[in-house]
Amino acid sequence: MSDLFRNKREISRHVGDFSQLFGVRDFTLNGGRAQGVRALEVNNGNGLSMTVLPDRAMDIAWLSYRGVNLSYITHAGIVAPAYFQENGLNFLRSFTAGFLTTCGLRNVGSPCEDNGESFGLHGNIAHVPAEEVSAVVDWPGESPEIVLRGKLRDARLFGQHLLLERTITCPVGAAGFQISDRIENRGFSPEPLMLLYHFNLGYPLLDADAELLLPVQATRARDAQAEPGIADCCRFQTPTPGYSEQVFFHDLRSDAQGRTCAALINSRLCLGVSYQYNKAMLSNLTEWKMMGEGDYVLGIEPCNNFVNGRAAARQAGELDILQPGEVRHYTIDIAF
């Protein structure tokens, strides 16, 4: 961090308004299916620029660091939540991907039917607009930080009442930021909780010079299609015609406090991104490797489950249950 950012009065001597160096802009997207989507554009004064979408679960669409793009945007682009169709695979019609798409909170992975209720791919939380949204430059000490907050409801009459409170904290002048989520079961019945952070990395960070670094103790393929790719699951290639997606489940080592990590490093760009989190809360790391033409993306996905759907998780005895009034905390530190 620059010494300039450590002294509020010194910054004031050099500028008329802090937005000259850092801050957050609140605006609305126009045109096509993005019409009306609220966006918060963060500039942390150290080359980190990212766009958070309050109307799409406080997820992150575009993200670049020092002029280099890290995120992947699908053919669908930015899609307003009004276009979301929950059943089956329709999630893909409005899946922006972006740097982060949150999946859950009641299903992750394959569409399924569980206890008489139908669930679409990856649940619906990614299409829920946030309430009580705030975006401020805070000064907890002499050094400023940009703080975004919002609340998301997954609730219905005679059913679940889950509340996700998200805080994104981006220190000014730093080479990273933190996502902190609080999930509470405000209902009066136990509720299954499935949560997956779908981080999506794209070109030019992702290319044939990139390598995925993981403290792996075991890896398995999701299916027979991915099985031949296990040996090369952490290496990548140029966009390949006819490529079929491969998905891997990684069991990572952790330290005495339960902390683990994952990183994508591009040696040619001398640039990388790392994720640090607690394995006790997010026990599995799913890797989504897609090397197709146009569909060229790496998904790094810390989660509390496998992406086989809620029915499969229940049958395997792996379904996480949130008791009435219970609260869970999830924190992910991202560094560049």
Side-chain angles (χ1 to χ4, degrees), residues 18-33:
F18 295 132
S19 64
Q20 181 176 327
L21 298 177
F22 55 84
V24 56
R25 295 189 296 173
D26 191 337
F27 61 97
T28 303
L29 298 174
N30 294 305
R33 295 196 299 165

Side-chain angles (χ1 to χ4, degrees), residues 77-197:
I78 308 299
V79 181
Y83 293 98
F84 176 51
Q85 299 174 3
E86 187 170 358
N87 58 306
L89 296 175
N90 281 319
F91 175 93
L92 298 175
R93 294 181 178 273
S94 51
F95 178 40
T96 297
F99 184 77
L100 170 63
T101 292
T102 306
C103 299
L105 296 173
R106 303 177 68 239
N107 185 55
V108 158
S110 303
C112 64
E113 184 170 311
D114 181 53
N115 281 358
E117 186 175 358
S118 294
F119 295 92
L121 176 68
H122 282 326
N124 67 354
I125 198 66
H127 295 80
V128 173
E131 308 170 24
E132 299 181 33
V133 175
S134 65
V136 300
V137 177
D138 200 6
W139 299 80
E142 276 296 291
S143 300
E145 58 187 25
I146 300 163
V147 183
L148 314 181
R149 292 188 175 91
K151 296 181 180 180
L152 308 165
R153 295 176 191 256
D154 188 339
R156 66 180 178 89
L157 183 65
F158 307 134
Q160 75 279 2
H161 187 182
L162 299 174
L163 182 69
L164 188 159
E165 299 179 65
R166 172 160 292 175
T167 302
I168 300 174
T169 304
C170 185
V172 170
F177 64 100
Q178 182 183 86
I179 298 171
S180 179
D181 286 345
R182 177 187 186 274
I183 299 177
E184 179 182 359
N185 182 0
R186 290 197 168 184
F188 295 90
S189 300
E191 185 63 44
L193 175 63
M194 303 187 77
L195 178 65
L196 180 144
Y197 294 89

Side-chain angles (χ1 to χ4, degrees), residues 177-180 195 197 199 212-216 249-263 274-287 300-305 329-335:
F177 64 100
Q178 182 183 86
I179 298 171
S180 179
L195 178 65
Y197 294 89
F199 291 104
L212 180 60
L213 303 181
L214 304 171
V216 172
F249 301 142
H250 299 289
D251 183 11
L252 303 184
R253 295 183 178 88
S254 60
D255 66 13
Q257 287 73 46
R259 293 173 300 188
T260 191
C261 60
S274 70
Y275 304 88
Q276 297 185 50
Y277 58 93
N278 195 306
K279 186 184 175 184
M281 301 304 295
L282 300 166
S283 56
N284 172 51
L285 181 75
T286 295
E287 175 193 351
I300 297 178
E301 306 168 17
C303 47
N304 73 338
N305 48 257
H329 295 272
Y330 303 87
T331 299
I332 301 180
D333 291 296
I334 297 103

